[in-house]
Amino acid sequence: MTTPEESAAAAAAAAGSEPSLVVAGEYSFIVVSNRLPVDRVIDAEGNASWAGSPGGLVTALEPVMRKNEGAWIGWGGQPDLEFEPFDSDGIRVIPVPLSADEIENYYEGFSNDTLWPLYHDVIAPPSFHREWWESYVEVNQRFARAAAEAAAEGAIVWVQDYQLQLVPKMLRELRPDLTIGFFNHIPFPPYGIYSQLPWRAQIVEGLLGADVIGFQRVADASNFQRAVRRLKGYVTKGTQVEVPLVDQTPGVRVFGPIKRQGNFRTVIARAFPISIDSASFEELARSASVQERAQQIREELGNPKTVMLGVDRLDYTKGIGHRLKAYGELLAEGKLSAEDVTLVQVANPSRERVQAYMELRDEIELTVGRINGDYGTIAHSPISYQHHGFPRDEMVALYLAADVMLVTALRDGMNLVAKEYVACRFDDDGVLVLSEFAGASDELKRALLINPHDIEGLKEVILQAIGMPKRDRRARMRSLRKRVLEHDVSRWSNEFLQVLGSYAHHGSAGHELR
Ligand code: G6P
């Protein structure tokens, strides 16, 4: 049997270029994401530990990881964490360190103050700084190298999200034998917006290093394909992009497990809408303690007729201000009163050192204070504002306690909160108000769909949601639940990995996932 270095060397020799010598590792399925599923947390006394409640992605991928010698590569959430790989709940964790400067330039800067606003319809103005870009390239290179060193011959590597868009190409350069997938969790913008990015061609090239590129919506995949046509002139056919082999960077002309057709390799770029671990949300919602807690929450709020709920990271893409404006006007016009209605707004602190997020927090908290001051009574505040996260069982109790769920995002890749609400409502009750600018609206068609920019329209729909007869609520929620329970996160990852796996079969050493 040839070693990966030998096969890379032979392949590279055939293509007339020098191989990159990276000794293969032992993992045959690798997930690479900016954040690890566990966070390094430091308590008030300075004691450090690894913590984290597993999100949907982890839950979906855990079984695949266990069956396939899997590993997860990512950052532990604190500066300068130099850690050897370790096991956490059966997952091999390989931490990648980021320095304080890199957190500032790669994470807060390029990822969250350039790409994030640009990819979300420039709701906030993106900043373009060359030092940030340089740091993004360097950190992407580090993640690619970590993956190249951990991956067994012919392994499958799945790279996640916008922080790591250069990794697919960098990884292919280091390890042509790998099968590489990429999933973009956030929107991919229309070309007119995307084209503002000074490094637009490099990012597209970075992504095209993957065999399969997944997006949330069909529209995102089309936007990406258009960018490929405009910037690279490559042909796209349906979900396929034809990447000419001759146009590869020197040293990357050799490919292992890829579909070759004549002078190009095909890359799939299509929608795979992500979901949640629906059954586990429903199970939690059915537990007696959570149902009791839901009841208790309503009592603690003073038993209003209607509880409305918003749950968001405190991010300008979420349209929290639009939601508050609509609600404030309904109170001002006397169409709602603080005795009858309470809005619980959970605003999870996020990216707190980025200027746009600091400004947003001030703006939202000023508005909340004004509404509570203007329309509250001694006994009733119109808004119960929570600037922190909650454990999952408390979140589920809140979902059960909420008659109306408000998802008013101005732009959102998917919005899993909408799906979580639906999954929890085993009682077939509750009304989901959902922005058409959230990816979830492609699937959750029987929600009350709104345009959050249309404040009058939003106000009408809020009143409609509050007054909706039980029969209608039930019919809508049943249809929403069918979708969310059938299309859960395991189905999402299985579909993606199945398409990706069809590439692996083409290589001699291609690994097949179990
Ligand atoms: C979005 C992104 C994720 C990111 C999350 C939290 O959902 O798609 O990649 O991890 O926000 O943001 P943070 O910057 O705290 O990782």
Side-chain angles (χ1 to χ4, degrees), residues 35 107 112 116 161-163 185-186 313 351:
R35 277 187 194 271
Y107 169 70
N112 290 317
W116 182 269
D161 231 354
Y162 64 102
Q163 303 93 343
H185 291 251
I186 69 172
R313 266 187 318 102
R351 305 172 190 164

Side-chain angles (χ1 to χ4, degrees), residues 439-451:
S441 67
D442 282 356
E443 296 170 81
L444 304 183
K445 296 211 161 66
R446 299 224 49 208
L448 293 181
L449 296 181
I450 49 113
N451 168 7

